[in-house]
Amino acid sequence: MGEDFSVNLPDLNYAALAPMLILFGAACLGVLVEAFVPRRARNAVQLVLGLLALVAALVAVLLHAPDVTDSNALTGALSLSIDQAGLFLQGAILVLAIVSLLLFGERTLENGGPFVAQAAITVGSELDRRQAAKESGATEVYPLAIFAVGGMMLFVTSNNLLVMFVALEVFSLPLYLLCALARRKRLLSQEAALKYFLLGAYASAFFLFGLAMIYGFAGAVDFRTIHASVTGSTNSPILLFIGLAMLSIGLLFKAAAAPFHVWTPDVYQGAPTAVTAFMAACTKVAAFGALARVLYVGFDGLGWEFTPVLGVIAVLTMLIGAILAVTQTDLKRLLAYSSIANAGYLLVGVLGGGKQGLSSMLFYLVAYGFLVIAAFAMLTLVRDADGEATHLARWAGLGRRSPLFAGVFTFLLLGFAGIPLTSGFVAKFAVFGAGINGDQTWLVLFGVLSSIILAFPYLRVVVMMWLSEPGETTPSVSIPGMLTSTALMIGVLVTLVLGVWPSPLLDLTTDVSNFIR
């Protein structure tokens, strides 16, 4: 009993952790704002607080980036790896979140904004009709979004499977809630959130079960020990293969890769469009950042074993996304299947391997993120008495009625199709180039085939807007407020600049494309 008892606390690098600490602190502050600030002022206060927190976190990332070395990247008892690639992913998530949050704050397009005031009120009741007509939308969405961004930043820098699982839950749970908060078509929104929640719970369970299997094989859950066990352990590899397969299911679900993609169209269609834009851009970065870290850092000794399996998943993802996009009549569902196909193209970059594979994936994530936010921002502008008019037939003749709007949307669709002078072309060229250099030419052939198929639904929308006559049911295009205009302008400009002059970002992604174990 007389022996000294001491606890060794892990060394924490607060400069590296500052961006996440800022966000989690601001999100907690946002919860207090809900309690103490009058309802009238809440939206402005929360929007400013959210944007300030994201900008402050971005500044912290930029200030810390020059100081990162192999020796100081690992922190928190080696459970976090704040390396150059991790900081790039964090910066990308923050920049895309800033642009997405502008759509959250828009209040001029619809009275009260895109979010319902009280989600617990029964759909279709007298109280529901009253709140839809008069009450301002819920402002809890801001702290929820900030918690989600903080979780994503933790997710892409985890050097330990248990920390990665905690981060997965931290960013998933707010997203499940955000999906259910649409002001219009509330039943569709709630159904989407429930599907996402149930399927997400299964995916999390797979991830956790895989983690247990890996622990059984390696005796630890940090990537350094896992890597050493993969290359030097005499244990039976059955646990290892089962564990990696289950981990991959959890990560590929978040990335919306086939056959784990079934939630995507329903959730993209049902969620408020601002939330869909946020998920399509930021969740993609988080999912692929974490997947690349798991494969490149923990399991790179198994490249021969997992590449064929993930290659088949990539082909399935590209083809299912492209072929089903052709059959869609709703623009949000069309962009959802487009998002699935893009997950396949990103997998080609990941499987290309090496510095070029990682670099092309990072470039693609940034280019696609800005493109998809701008596209969903455009969808919020085409409205009728029932809110957003996303059915394809309703867009017939929009080019005659609003040539500027149709011109911008045409440019974005050409970006999705990968036409030269858009970021989409450079991004596809980069991942396919990485695939060829990594001896994955068969994946690139399927990628080119699916790109050709996927061009059809995009061009069909262009033809409908410009060559059809406007009908009586053709909705009007609303004049965007300042926040939506800013988000749109940023998205379109980045798509154009990265298409014309991509070399600065390509050079940056090449410089930062190494993970530290």
Side-chain angles (χ1 to χ4, degrees):
M1 292 294 287
E3 292 179 17
D4 289 339
F5 180 73
S6 61
V7 177
N8 293 325
L9 295 174
D11 289 329
L12 295 176
N13 181 347
Y14 284 103
L17 297 175
M20 289 179 275
L21 295 176
I22 289 168
L23 288 183
F24 289 130
C28 294
L29 206 59
V31 174
L32 293 176
V33 167
E34 287 299 313
F36 295 110
V37 174
R39 182 179 277 274
R40 283 190 315 282
R42 254 183 241 167
N43 186 59
V45 171
Q46 290 278 35
L47 178 62
V48 170
L49 174 65
L51 288 173
L52 282 177
L54 291 169
V55 170
L58 183 60
V59 169
V61 166
L62 295 173
L63 290 176
H64 181 60
D67 303 330
V68 173
T69 62
D70 288 11
S71 58
N72 70 4
L74 295 174
T75 184
L78 307 184
S79 60
L80 292 177
S81 177
I82 317 273
D83 47 21
Q84 295 284 10
L87 283 172
F88 181 89
L89 288 161
Q90 287 191 339
I93 289 168
L94 286 166
V95 173
L96 293 169
I98 289 168
V99 183
S100 304
L101 209 66
L102 297 174
L103 299 179
F104 277 57
E106 184 60 73
R107 288 293 184 268
T108 59
L109 292 170
E110 182 163 7
N111 184 27
F115 299 102
V116 69
Q118 290 179 307
I121 290 176
T122 308
V123 178
S125 65
E126 183 58 39
L127 276 175
D128 186 38
R129 284 189 286 275
R130 196 180 308 155
Q131 73 164 355
K134 293 179 182 174
E135 291 190 35
S136 181
T139 47
E140 294 94 332
V141 294
Y142 298 103
L144 285 172
I146 302 298
F147 272 125
V149 174
M152 289 173 194
M153 291 174 66
L154 183 61
F155 195 54
V156 296
T157 51
S158 302
N159 195 43
N160 176 313
L161 289 173
L162 206 52
V163 174
M164 194 174 263
F165 175 73
V166 171
L168 176 70
E169 294 307 297
V170 169
F171 85 80
S172 296
L173 293 171
L175 289 177
Y176 302 147
L177 284 172
L178 286 168
C179 288
L181 298 178
R183 177 175 282 269
R184 308 285 187 127
K185 301 175 182 162
R186 284 187 58 206
L187 281 176
L188 193 67
S189 176
Q190 290 175 359
E191 179 194 346
L194 191 61
K195 284 178 179 171
Y196 191 21
F197 170 65
L198 290 173
L199 289 168
Y202 281 120
S204 297
F206 272 113
F207 187 95
L208 203 52
F209 203 47
L211 187 155
M213 294 288 175
I214 299 295
Y215 184 76
F217 173 79
V221 289
D222 64 287
F223 290 150
R224 183 183 288 181
T225 310
I226 291 169
H227 171 75
S229 300
V230 167
T231 50
S233 175
T234 54
N235 294 344
S236 163
I238 292 174
L239 283 179
L240 174 67
F241 292 139
I242 294 173
L244 179 57
M246 291 187 159
L247 283 182
S248 301
I249 289 173
L251 293 167
L252 291 168
F253 171 84
K254 275 286 169 239
F260 317 109
H261 67 284
V262 288
W263 59 275
T264 316
D266 290 339
V267 172
Y268 277 33
Q269 185 183 17
T273 305
V275 174
T276 308
F278 174 62
M279 284 168 52
C282 297
T283 309
K284 268 274 189 292
V285 180
F288 275 98
L291 180 67
R293 191 178 287 280
V294 167
L295 297 180
Y296 281 55
V297 179
F299 296 92
D300 54 335
L302 287 179
W304 282 101
E305 282 84 358
F306 68 66
T307 300
V309 180
L310 284 179
V312 171
I313 287 174
V315 169
L316 262 179
T317 306
M318 292 186 285
L319 291 179
I320 286 174
I323 292 166
L324 291 182
V326 174
T327 64
Q328 299 308 308
T329 55
D330 183 278
L331 277 158
K332 282 173 91 171
R333 290 183 80 86
L334 167 60
L335 289 177
Y337 280 109
S338 153
S339 162
I340 292 164
N342 278 287
Y345 304 142
L346 278 156
L347 277 173
V348 175
V350 172
L351 295 174
K355 209 169 173 66
Q356 190 183 356
L358 185 53
S359 162
S360 68
M361 183 201 83
L362 295 175
F363 182 89
Y364 201 111
L365 286 168
V366 173
Y368 177 76
F370 282 106
L371 185 56
V372 81
I373 288 174
F376 280 113
M378 296 298 277
L379 292 191
T380 62
L381 302 181
V382 182
R383 314 182 75 86
D384 58 17
D386 296 325
E388 293 163 11
T390 55
H391 197 280
L392 200 54
R394 307 292 303 281
W395 286 51
L398 267 182
R400 312 268 176 100
R401 205 166 266 192
S402 307
L404 176 64
F405 170 89
V408 173
F409 198 63
T410 300
F411 172 70
L412 294 173
L413 289 172
L414 293 178
F416 279 119
I419 304 297
L421 299 184
T422 64
S423 61
F425 170 76
V426 181
K428 280 206 177 92
F429 191 83
V431 291
F432 290 164
I436 289 171
N437 284 349
D439 297 327
Q440 303 297 325
T441 310
W442 67 288
L443 289 181
V444 176
L445 291 174
F446 279 108
V448 172
L449 173 67
S450 83
S451 296
I452 294 167
I453 298 169
L454 199 53
F456 173 75
Y458 300 140
L459 296 176
R460 186 175 59 178
V461 179
V462 174
V463 168
M464 282 197 76
M465 285 195 300
W466 291 106
L467 300 181
S468 301
E469 291 295 329
E472 289 179 14
T473 59
T474 302
S476 60
V477 176
S478 306
I479 296 170
M482 188 184 75
L483 296 173
T484 302
S485 301
T486 308
L488 248 176
M489 204 161 58
I490 293 170
V492 172
L493 276 175
V494 170
T495 302
L496 180 63
V497 170
L498 290 182
V500 177
W501 190 45
S503 51
L505 184 59
L506 281 170
D507 292 343
L508 177 61
T509 56
T510 304
D511 291 342
V512 302
S513 55
N514 59 325
F515 286 124
I516 292 170
R517 187 174 289 113

